[in-house]
Amino acid sequence: IKNSADAKYRSEASLLVNELLGKMWVSDRTAATLQANFQGGSGTDGPLYTLWYASVQATLPDSSTYAPAVSVDAAGVVSVTVSWKAPSEPASAAAHSYSVIAQIR
């Protein structure tokens, strides 16, 4: 049962990250616009990051403890990391994470 739950959370994390990357692809893809709208997790969250983060919190357990990190560099290279901890795991257990690096042009 634990393995099934772990796989479910990994799958959901993958879908959430791909949703965010899809939104980036259909938006204005200049690096400055991507940074302003989608970058987040470091205290300077863009408006579209904030909307997406609400979906992450609703989908992945304990994800409010681990804010997703989204960064965009000047060349349009996007790095996204989402972390969570399953409800059945002890507080001392390490968080799970899913990371993706993509270039948006």
Side-chain angles (χ1 to χ4, degrees):
I1 293 172
K2 181 186 179 312
N3 289 339
S4 293
D6 289 345
K8 175 184 179 280
Y9 295 135
R10 280 192 307 276
S11 176
E12 288 174 342
S14 170
L15 290 171
L16 287 163
V17 170
N18 284 326
E19 173 191 356
L20 180 68
L21 292 174
K23 288 179 180 182
M24 289 179 173
W25 274 105
V26 299
S27 72
D28 177 351
R29 295 186 299 253
T30 60
T33 302
L34 290 173
Q35 290 168 343
N37 289 327
F38 294 100
Q39 196 159 262
S42 60
T44 55
D45 304 338
L48 296 176
Y49 168 86
T50 303
L51 289 172
W52 173 75
Y53 183 28
S55 295
V56 173
Q57 288 178 311
T59 306
L60 294 176
D62 204 21
S63 56
S64 59
T65 304
Y66 311 100
V70 179
S71 63
V72 182
D73 72 10
V77 175
V78 178
S79 175
V80 182
T81 301
V82 181
S83 300
W84 68 94
K85 191 180 292 186
S88 62
E89 295 179 319
S92 61
H96 303 273
S97 63
Y98 180 83
S99 298
V100 171
I101 296 174
Q103 184 154 24
I104 308 291
R105 292 186 180 199

